[in-house]
């Protein structure tokens, strides 16, 4: 999952970005409203965490512009403004959810998962491909009922493939999902993680399509 964090408070921004990364998400961070506008107009995110009190341009204006462009990226407003009128304004401007600071990290992560799940039109929280099972909430993976331990990056990669079984996901799309700006990225990182996943989970459900990308599911004849 790739998340954009829009937050002008350095301490909150740094700790939140670190926490998201530790939970296997690619987290990018901008600190003012104009920068948020620019990056949202040019890049795709799975979710946005949006502060309201921002330099340059208020969070509500950023949100209004995003929705005016027809962009449906899920947005959680994260702010210290706790007045009812502020919440109503945030939701009416197009926010999907609203979280008042200070908040518990676990609640934020659960809301993020719920939002992305709804966006994907899925009712079930658990992803299944054959007898391979991945639970985004508990971060547990099993194959044929046997638990398998994955690193945060392996988990994120597997989740990206299992969200759309059979669909080919390119290496660039996977790199976007796994890495934020400025994170060190070896050119063969994705194929190394794929290799590790196949070693741990077997090679019958994870496939490479040369020159195109990867998919999860039963092998297709080509
Ligand atoms: Ca602020």
């Amino acid at each position: 999952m790739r998340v954009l964090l829009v937050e002008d408070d350095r301490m909150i921004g740094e700790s939140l970005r670190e926490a998201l990364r530790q939970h296997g998400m690619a987290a990018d961070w901008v600190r003012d409203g104009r920068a948020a506008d620019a990056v949202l107009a040019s890049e795709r995110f799975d979710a946005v965490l949006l502060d309201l009190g921002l330099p340059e341009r208020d969070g509500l204006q950023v949100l209004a512009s995003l929705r005016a462009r027809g962009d449906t990226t899920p947005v959680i407003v994260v702010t210290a403004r706790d007045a009812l009128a502020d919440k109503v304004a945030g939701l009416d401007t197009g926010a999907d959810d609203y979280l008042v600071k200070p908040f518990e990290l676990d609640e934020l992560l659960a809301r993020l998962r719920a939002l992305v799940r709804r966006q994907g039109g899925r009712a079930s929280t658990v992803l299944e491909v054959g007898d391979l099972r991945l639970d985004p909430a508990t971060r547990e993976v099993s194959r044929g009922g046997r638990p398998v331990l994955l690193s945060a990056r392996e988990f994120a990669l597997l989740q990206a493939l299992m969200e759309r079984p059979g669909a080919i996901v390119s290496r660039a799309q996977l790199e976007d999902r796994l890495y934020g700006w400025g994170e060190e990225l070896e050119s063969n990182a994705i194929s190394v993680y794929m290799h590790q996943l196949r070693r741990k989970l077997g090679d019958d459900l994870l496939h490479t399509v040369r020159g195109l990308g990867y998919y999860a599911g039963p092998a297709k004849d080509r």
Side-chain angles (χ1 to χ4, degrees), residues 82-90 98:
D82 61 350
L84 178 63
D86 287 321
K87 289 186 193 171
V88 170
Y98 200 104

Side-chain angles (χ1 to χ4, degrees), residues 131-144:
D131 63 351
L132 181 58
R133 213 168 170 278
L134 178 149
D135 187 335
T138 61
R139 306 191 62 74
E140 287 168 341
V141 172
S142 64
R143 177 89 210 252

Side-chain angles (χ1 to χ4, degrees), residues 72-87:
T72 58
T73 303
V75 173
I76 302 181
V77 165
V78 182
T79 178
R81 295 181 195 169
D82 61 350
L84 178 63
D86 287 321
K87 289 186 193 171

